[in-house]
Amino acid sequence: MEQEIKVLPANRVKIHRPDDDKHNNEYAPRSRIYVRDVKGALEYFRRGFGFLLLALFIAIPWLEMNGQQAVLLDLAEQRFRIFGMTLWPQDLTILAWISIVAAFALFFVTTLYGRVWCGFMCPQTTWTFIFMWFEKKIEGSRNKRIALDRRGWDFDKFWRKAAKHTAWLLVSLFTALIFVGYFTDIGDLFINFFTFEACFWAVFSVLFFTFCTYGNAGWMREIMCTHICPYARFQSAMFDKDTVTVSYDVGRGEPRGPRPRKLDHKAEGLGDCIDCNMCVQVCPTGIDIRNGLQYECINCGACVDACNDVMDKMNYPKGLIRFTTERNLEGGRTRKVRFKSVGYFVALIAITALLVWDIATRVPMQVDVLRDRNQLYSINNDGWVANVYTLKILNKSQLSETFTVTVSGLEGMQLRGDTQLQLSGGEVATVPVTVTVNPEELTERVTDITFEVTSADGTVQQSHQTSFIYE
């Protein structure tokens, strides 16, 4: 079937097939966005910040602490190691606090500065720009990419397309290996994967995330931001007239229109916008910022750099498109301190304080005591009453510790079993012990007793209360 490529306004190109005329336009194929390369202060900052975050993403799973991988989210063992702190299912509240702190920090920043997370820190944005860099280096500039897709298949087009997708797949594979390395030993993962000795789930996970990265950053791109990511939809609930966003100064730019550089555009009744569409051609989501704030805008600032470059060439003041607020554009003064921003800030501080308190008061040991269900009590050869218990002691730290078990609550009681044991980091010990008491010391059928487990240096102590039965 013959195909016709129609170049739409700005940076969109749509592949049109004859059969498309039979259907409603809303079901027409998706327009492809050809993003123009841009240079400027914001672009350099975004690249540098993105490379910093990318370097941290790659480096963190390779760091070691106490001879172990510093960050390891071991789902199989239900154990999360995070820089010297080991979290277990019993520490779910800490993970919950961390998630809530991250959410409120995002809300607070969005209220002040809009979607800067999306434009400068989001992994989808970072990987999309990486893929676009390979696309530009292999296929050429925006106009060359349009021409390449417009012409038929030949050897030049084949090798460029093959090289581009090969580069995308290699980046996706490396990304997937690093990401899966957060959940398993990363050194063994790399060795076992390339020597074909990795287990099924490791291979499946790497291939799955390779496919996701390749699809998201290579093919879906702006669809992730405009249709799939929920953040694009609920951002308006956090915006107000004092939120800093990428905005077009309508009062200064309109009426827009092309003109020679030396023309006195003010005398001709024209605004500063020369209608060059550069701001649209550099937009990764394909929108025209001159149409006002749109949910597709990710606040990356590419249009700001492009417009400032044009203003420099026309000898006009910069800032026709800039990071500003709606109130500022209307001639007012932006208010940083307002009810919404203060509310998010207070909530963020309170939740952060709870997180710090939870971590500070966390005891790196867990003790559970289980009574013997087969027999409530027994009488030993000495005529003393004996109760049998099973202690489960978990060393929640990453270092080896020696623990001592004691019991209190009754005069003259004796504890028999392993009362001193050494546990390595993350080890769980099951310790059967017997508590014996002279029946003359028992005045009640059920008496409360307390098991105490103390570390060798006395800094870690955990107690568990249970009952001693004699009926």
Side-chain angles (χ1 to χ4, degrees):
M1 180 181 297
E2 295 184 358
Q3 298 181 1
E4 176 187 357
I5 299 182
K6 293 185 177 181
V7 180
L8 303 180
N11 61 344
R12 290 181 179 268
V13 172
K14 177 181 290 185
I15 298 177
H16 178 79
R17 300 178 177 86
D19 288 346
D20 294 337
D21 296 333
K22 302 177 182 178
H23 305 287
N24 191 288
N25 287 335
E26 64 180 303
Y27 300 108
R30 162 182 166 239
S31 304
R32 180 174 178 184
I33 297 176
Y34 290 84
V35 181
R36 191 185 195 98
D37 193 26
V38 62
K39 295 180 181 179
L42 288 172
E43 177 65 13
Y44 293 139
F45 174 78
R46 187 195 57 74
R47 289 182 184 180
F49 196 69
F51 282 127
L52 174 62
L53 295 179
L54 183 63
L56 289 175
F57 168 76
I58 296 173
I60 284 176
W62 295 99
L63 300 178
E64 291 190 357
M65 182 171 289
N66 300 324
Q68 299 175 322
Q69 189 170 322
V71 176
L72 179 59
L73 312 178
D74 195 338
L75 298 178
E77 297 292 332
Q78 298 183 350
R79 176 177 58 188
F80 293 176
R81 290 204 303 261
I82 305 176
F83 294 110
M85 181 175 64
T86 304
L87 301 180
W88 298 83
Q90 299 90 333
D91 302 310
L92 183 61
T93 55
I94 293 180
L95 295 177
W97 288 128
I98 293 175
S99 301
I100 296 173
V101 167
F104 272 89
L106 186 63
F107 299 160
F108 174 66
V109 172
T110 302
T111 301
L112 295 177
Y113 301 106
R115 296 180 65 183
V116 290
W117 161 263
C118 297
F120 293 87
M121 293 176 282
C122 177
Q124 172 68 19
T125 302
T126 301
W127 264 260
T128 295
F129 276 103
I130 291 174
F131 276 41
M132 287 166 53
W133 183 85
F134 278 102
E135 191 173 57
K136 180 189 69 173
K137 291 299 181 181
I138 296 173
E139 294 185 356
S141 64
R142 175 180 180 272
N143 292 334
K144 290 182 179 180
R145 296 198 301 272
I146 294 176
L148 183 68
D149 287 345
R150 182 178 296 172
R151 74 171 190 250
W153 283 95
D154 53 20
F155 177 76
D156 180 70
K157 182 174 181 177
F158 174 78
W159 85 259
R160 290 183 186 277
K161 293 291 184 181
K164 179 185 74 172
H165 288 282
T166 300
W168 285 2
L169 285 170
L170 290 176
V171 172
S172 300
L173 177 61
F174 180 71
T175 300
L177 285 167
I178 294 295
F179 182 74
V180 176
Y182 280 82
F183 300 90
T184 187
D185 187 280
I186 191 169
D188 292 342
L189 174 66
F190 268 78
I191 295 173
N192 294 337
F193 185 84
F194 289 107
T195 57
F196 304 101
E197 296 180 358
C199 67
F200 168 79
W201 287 112
V203 174
F204 173 81
S205 299
V206 170
L207 295 181
F208 174 77
F209 288 110
T210 298
F211 171 78
C212 289
T213 305
Y214 173 73
N216 292 345
W219 293 94
M220 301 181 72
R221 293 189 179 177
E222 80 283 355
I223 291 181
M224 292 294 298
C225 302
T226 59
H227 292 83
I228 299 177
C229 178
Y231 187 45
R233 299 293 180 175
F234 67 75
Q235 62 165 333
S236 58
M238 291 169 277
F239 280 17
D240 54 33
K241 287 190 174 183
D242 295 293
T243 300
V244 177
T245 60
V246 175
S247 303
Y248 168 67
D249 192 339
V250 177
R252 174 186 158 188
E254 300 297 323
R256 71 184 76 158
R259 78 291 303 268
R261 182 181 301 180
K262 296 183 179 180
L263 177 70
D264 185 359
H265 64 287
K266 298 295 184 181
E268 297 294 329
L270 293 174
D272 285 356
C273 179
I274 67 172
D275 203 18
C276 62
N277 280 329
M278 289 295 293
C279 57
V280 187
Q281 294 179 20
V282 301
C283 179
T285 59
I287 66 170
D288 189 341
I289 195 63
R290 296 171 297 179
N291 293 332
L293 180 63
Q294 299 149 74
Y295 76 88
E296 295 96 339
C297 178
I298 61 173
N299 260 26
C300 65
C303 57
V304 176
D305 283 331
C307 186
N308 284 340
D309 183 57
V310 173
M311 293 296 103
D312 274 343
K313 293 178 180 178
M314 297 296 295
N315 293 321
Y316 296 167
K318 295 182 180 180
L320 178 60
I321 300 176
R322 61 186 184 273
F323 280 92
T324 187
T325 65
E326 182 180 351
R327 192 181 301 278
N328 184 269
L329 288 175
E330 293 175 350
R333 184 176 180 180
T334 301
R335 299 176 303 168
K336 293 294 184 182
V337 179
R338 52 196 189 273
F339 179 78
K340 184 182 292 186
S341 60
V342 171
Y344 281 130
F345 180 74
V346 171
L348 177 62
I349 295 299
I351 297 170
T352 303
L354 289 173
L355 169 63
V356 172
W357 176 83
D358 201 354
I359 294 176
T361 58
R362 174 178 175 268
V363 179
M365 175 177 56
Q366 181 75 30
V367 178
D368 292 317
V369 179
L370 304 176
R371 285 187 48 82
D372 185 1
R373 297 180 179 274
N374 296 323
Q375 190 176 23
L376 293 179
Y377 71 95
S378 62
I379 305 297
N380 63 14
N381 295 332
D382 298 328
W384 284 34
V385 181
N387 280 203
V388 179
Y389 304 88
T390 300
L391 276 62
K392 288 187 176 294
I393 304 174
L394 166 63
N395 181 10
K396 296 165 68 175
S397 71
Q398 297 181 12
L399 302 175
S400 179
E401 293 280 0
T402 300
F403 298 101
T404 301
V405 181
T406 59
V407 65
S408 60
L410 288 170
E411 291 291 335
M413 63 192 317
Q414 297 180 358
L415 179 64
R416 298 179 181 179
D418 293 332
T419 59
Q420 192 170 38
L421 58 155
Q422 185 172 5
L423 301 181
S424 57
E427 184 180 356
V428 181
T430 301
V431 184
V433 295
T434 301
V435 177
T436 59
V437 180
N438 189 329
E440 296 179 357
E441 301 292 339
L442 298 172
T443 59
E444 298 180 0
R445 297 170 57 186
V446 179
T447 305
D448 292 335
I449 61 173
T450 301
F451 284 95
E452 292 184 352
V453 181
T454 308
S455 61
D457 56 7
T459 58
V460 179
Q461 187 176 28
Q462 184 77 2
S463 60
H464 191 289
Q465 190 177 63
T466 185
S467 56
F468 187 90
I469 299 177
Y470 177 52
E471 298 181 342

